[in-house]
Amino acid sequence: MNNFLVLCYDKKINLFANLKSDFASGLVVFLVALPLCLGIAMASGAPLFSGIIAGVVGGLVVGYLSQSHISVSGPVAGLTAIILTAITDFGAFDVFLLSVFIAGIIQLALGFLKAGSISNYFPTNVIEGMLAGIGIIIILKQLPHAFGYDADFEGDQAFIQNDGSNSFSFLFDVINHIQLGAVVISAVSLVVLLAWDRVPFLKRLKLVPGALVAVILGVVLNEIFVSSGSSLAIAKEHLVSLPVPKSFDDFKSILILPNFSAVTNPQVWVVAITIAIVASIETLLCIEASDRMDVQKRYTDTNVELRAQGIGNMISSLLGGLPMTSVVVRSSANNNAGAKSKMSTIIHGLFLLISVLSIPAILNKIPLATLATVLILVGYKLAKPATFMHFWEKGKYQFVPFIATLVFVVATDLLKGVALGIIISIIFVLRGNLKRAYIFKKEEYEDGDIIHIDLAQEVSFLNKVAIKQTLNEIPENSKVVINAHDTEYIAHDVLDLIREFKETRAIDENIKVKLKGFKEAYELENTPDNNNHVTIEHYYDVAKRALVKKETIKEGF
C-alpha cells in the first residue's frame, strides 16, 4: 500500500498552492454532486445515503490517490441499470456490496497490469463528440427541472425513459407542468451565473462562486414565497431531498457491511466483473476527456487512476456505498468553475461529508431549478457551437466520427456512442495507407545532442501512443527537429501532441524545438531558420567542429 501511495503522489504538486480557486470550484462541484448522488441512488433502488457515501469516498479517497487534476469521481448513471438488476436479483443490498468490493479488487489488478494504457487509443474527435453529446444530454434532462417538472430523477442520462417517452418528447410534457416559481428562480439564477463571468467587479470575487450565490438567492426567494403564502412557492417535491438522521442509531444504520458469506455465489462474481469492466471503461473515457479540458495540458497516469478507483470502490462498499467512476458531468463542472488541482475534488468530498451530517435540513431547502440552471450552463460549454465548427473545418475524417459519436451518445449511451465513433475512425484510417509513423534519429555531438523526428507520409491517431511516448522521453535541455516534409496527412490528435509539446513542456524544460515542413492546414507554424532555437547554420557549424560519436535510428509504428 505504501508503494502505491508513493506512485500516486506527484512531488511537483502542492495541493494548497491554488487553494482559493480550488475551494470555490470544490464548493460548486459539491452543489452539483449532491442531487446527482441522491438521484442515482434512488434510480438504482439503493438506500439514498449509499449515493452520498460514494460521493464522499470519490472526493476524499479517489481524489487524493488519483493523479488527475480536474476529474471528479462518484456514482454514475451508467451503472444504475446494473445496480438495480443486481439488487433485485440478490434480494439484499449487502450481497450487492460484496460484488462492488470484488469489482474494486479487479480494478486494482487491472491498474497493476497497466490496462489503463488503452485510453491512448481513444481519438480526440471521438472524445470531443462524447463530451458534446453529454452536454446535449445535460441540457435536455435539466430543462424540465428548470421549469419545475421533476418527474425524472436527477442524474438520468437515458434517451428512452421508463414511461416510454424520450428526452425530446419529455420536453413537450413540460408545457403542461410549468411551475412559475421555479421559472422565476431559474431566470434569476441564470442572470447571476452569466453576470458572474462577465461583470468585471463580480469576476474579482473568485472565492465566492456564482453558483453558490445563485443557490443562496434561490433558497431566499423560495422562503419569501413560502412565508408570504405566494402561489410561486416551490413545493417540497421540487427541492433537494436529503434524508435527515434524527439519532445516533439512524447514523449507524447508514453504514452497511458487505455480506462476505455470499462469496461463493457465482452471480456475485458475474456482477463484480460487469461493474469492473463498465466502471473502468467509463473512468478511462472521463480521464481522457478531463485531460483534454485541462488548460494546462497535464496528462494523467491512467494505470494509477484504475488503482485509485479500485481502492475507492473497495472502501465505498465497506461503508455501504454505491460503485463509482470518474464522472464527466462533475469533472466538467469542476473545470468550468476554475479548478487548478485535485484539491478541488477533495474539498467537494469534504463538503459532502460535513453538510450531510450537520446541515441536511438547510440543504433540503435548495430548489432543483437552481441546480438545473448551473448544469445547463455546464452542458452548453460542453456542446457549444464553436466545437461543431472546429471539427467541420477539419474535414470529414474528423467531423463524421465526431458527429456520429455525439448522436449515438445521446440516443443510446456513452459506451455505445464511443464504440461507434472509434469504429468509424478505424474504418477511415484503414482506407488510407497505414505506414510508419516516424523515423527517430539521435545525433550526439560534443556541444549537445540533436534529436531528429521525421514524420512518415501518413500519421494516424493509432500512432498517437508511440509519438506521445517518444516526446515524453525527450530529456531536458535537448534540441529537437520535427520534420513533416514528407507527410500527406497528420491526425488532429498527433498535431495537438506536437503543439502542446512545443508550447508547454518544451518551454518548461528548456527543450529547443524546430518544426519543418508543416503545411498551413496543420495550423502549426514552421520555425524560421534565423530564430533563437535550432538553426541549419548551427547544424553545419557543429558538424564541422564536432566529431559524431554515435547515431541511433529506430522506427516508430
Side-chain angles (χ1 to χ4, degrees):
M1 177 64 71
N2 289 335
N3 291 334
F4 173 67
L5 293 177
V6 170
L7 285 172
C8 292
Y9 176 69
D10 187 343
K11 65 181 180 181
K12 295 181 180 180
I13 298 174
N14 179 1
L15 289 178
F16 298 95
N18 301 286
L19 190 57
K20 286 185 177 180
S21 57
D22 286 339
F23 182 87
S25 55
L27 186 55
V28 172
V29 179
F30 153 68
L31 294 171
V32 170
L34 179 62
L36 294 181
C37 290
L38 292 171
I40 291 168
M42 182 181 298
S44 302
L48 290 183
F49 259 111
S50 64
I52 298 294
I53 291 170
V56 171
V57 175
L60 297 179
V61 178
V62 179
Y64 175 74
L65 295 178
S66 171
Q67 286 185 347
S68 177
H69 298 274
I70 63 173
S71 75
V72 182
S73 296
V76 63
L79 293 174
T80 53
I82 298 172
I83 298 171
L84 180 61
T85 302
I87 293 175
T88 303
D89 291 345
F90 292 144
F93 185 61
D94 57 353
V95 177
F96 167 73
L97 291 177
L98 177 61
S99 292
V100 180
F101 183 81
I102 296 172
I105 295 175
I106 294 172
Q107 285 185 294
L108 188 60
L110 289 173
F112 281 111
L113 293 172
K114 301 190 181 302
S117 59
I118 65 172
S119 66
N120 289 311
Y121 298 97
F122 299 148
T124 298
N125 52 356
V126 172
I127 296 298
E128 292 286 353
M130 177 193 76
L131 288 174
I134 290 174
I136 292 174
I137 290 173
I138 293 172
I139 294 172
L140 291 175
K141 293 296 186 179
Q142 293 301 321
L143 277 174
H145 293 293
F147 285 96
Y149 186 36
D150 302 304
D152 198 16
F153 71 91
E154 281 283 4
D156 182 26
Q157 293 183 1
F159 183 73
I160 303 298
Q161 301 181 176
N162 294 331
D163 59 0
S165 63
N166 58 57
S167 297
F168 291 111
S169 63
F170 191 69
L171 291 178
F172 292 101
D173 294 340
V174 174
I175 298 174
N176 300 319
H177 299 85
I178 292 178
Q179 215 285 339
L180 191 55
V183 175
V184 171
I185 288 177
S186 295
V188 171
S189 301
L190 183 61
V191 170
V192 170
L193 291 169
L194 293 177
W196 217 260
D197 288 336
R198 288 166 173 79
V199 178
F201 168 71
L202 297 176
K203 287 177 69 175
R204 288 196 290 269
L205 301 175
K206 293 182 179 180
L207 192 59
V208 183
L212 176 61
V213 177
V215 167
I216 293 174
L217 280 177
V219 172
V220 171
L221 278 175
N222 191 51
E223 288 299 303
I224 292 174
F225 296 155
V226 171
S227 61
S228 64
S230 170
S231 60
L232 297 177
I234 298 177
K236 183 178 179 181
E237 58 266 25
H238 303 302
L239 305 175
V240 169
S241 180
L242 184 66
V244 182
K246 297 179 180 179
S247 65
F248 181 72
D249 288 336
D250 288 345
F251 279 114
K252 287 173 59 179
S253 65
I254 293 172
L255 304 179
I256 304 173
L257 288 173
N259 184 355
F260 288 97
S261 64
V263 71
T264 56
N265 184 345
Q267 191 62 27
V268 167
W269 288 86
V270 172
V271 173
I273 294 171
T274 303
I275 292 174
I277 293 174
V278 175
S280 297
I281 294 175
E282 290 212 14
T283 290
L284 294 178
L285 287 169
C286 180
I287 289 299
E288 190 73 13
S290 298
D291 286 352
R292 293 292 308 165
M293 290 186 284
D294 185 5
V295 294
Q296 299 184 49
K297 301 304 176 188
R298 295 165 293 188
Y299 294 111
T300 301
D301 187 329
T302 49
N303 296 309
V304 170
E305 185 65 28
L306 285 180
R307 296 175 223 161
Q309 294 288 336
I311 291 178
N313 276 322
M314 291 165 66
I315 294 176
S316 180
S317 67
L318 291 173
L319 297 175
L322 293 178
M324 73 190 75
T325 74
S326 181
V327 189
V328 173
V329 176
R330 271 158 267 192
S331 301
S332 302
N334 193 32
N335 178 64
N336 292 334
K340 302 296 183 184
S341 76
K342 62 184 183 179
M343 188 63 180
S344 173
T345 302
I346 297 172
I347 289 172
H348 122 273
L350 191 60
F351 271 127
L352 275 176
L353 177 62
I354 295 173
S355 61
V356 299
L357 295 180
S358 58
I359 55 170
I362 295 176
L363 296 176
N364 285 343
K365 295 180 181 295
I366 299 176
L368 293 176
T370 297
L371 300 177
T373 307
V374 174
L375 286 170
I376 287 171
L377 287 182
V378 171
Y380 173 78
K381 290 179 180 179
L382 288 175
K384 55 188 176 183
T387 303
F388 290 78
M389 292 304 301
H390 171 76
F391 284 101
W392 175 262
E393 293 169 354
K394 291 294 181 183
K396 64 180 180 180
Y397 289 102
Q398 290 295 317
F399 184 74
V400 173
F402 164 80
I403 203 68
T405 302
L406 182 156
V407 170
F408 271 77
V409 165
V410 173
T412 57
D413 58 46
L414 184 149
L415 296 182
K416 292 176 183 175
V418 169
L420 178 72
I422 292 176
I423 290 171
I424 293 175
S425 296
I426 291 174
I427 291 173
F428 281 171
V429 169
L430 293 178
R431 289 181 61 186
N433 184 17
L434 280 178
K435 295 186 177 180
R436 293 172 298 179
Y438 63 91
I439 294 177
F440 178 95
K441 182 166 65 173
K442 179 179 180 181
E443 298 176 348
E444 298 183 1
Y445 296 94
E446 290 182 351
D447 63 343
D449 297 345
I450 300 175
I451 296 172
H452 294 269
I453 300 176
D454 298 329
L455 299 179
Q457 185 176 7
E458 185 159 338
V459 185
S460 73
F461 75 87
L462 293 176
N463 307 127
K464 173 182 172 182
V465 62
I467 294 176
K468 182 178 181 180
Q469 183 177 357
T470 298
L471 294 178
N472 285 340
E473 292 176 353
I474 292 177
E476 296 181 2
N477 306 313
S478 298
K479 300 168 186 176
V480 182
V481 180
I482 303 177
N483 189 343
H485 273 304
D486 297 329
T487 62
E488 295 295 333
Y489 167 78
I490 303 179
H492 181 65
D493 304 48
V494 177
L495 290 172
D496 277 349
L497 280 179
I498 296 172
R499 183 180 296 107
E500 292 163 10
F501 174 77
K502 180 184 178 184
E503 296 176 357
T504 304
R505 181 165 172 254
I507 294 174
D508 293 341
E509 300 185 7
N510 193 33
I511 300 174
K512 295 181 179 179
V513 181
K514 180 180 178 66
L515 301 183
K516 297 170 56 179
F518 283 83
K519 299 182 176 72
E520 289 186 10
Y522 296 155
E523 297 181 0
L524 271 176
E525 186 177 351
N526 292 306
T527 309
D529 288 340
N530 60 351
N531 69 354
N532 293 325
H533 290 288
V534 187
T535 65
I536 294 176
E537 288 78 12
H538 171 79
Y539 301 145
Y540 179 75
D541 293 338
V542 170
K544 288 198 331 183
R545 291 184 289 103
L547 174 66
V548 178
K549 294 185 288 184
K550 180 175 153 186
E551 181 176 286
T552 305
I553 299 177
K554 68 177 181 179
E555 294 181 351
F557 293 85

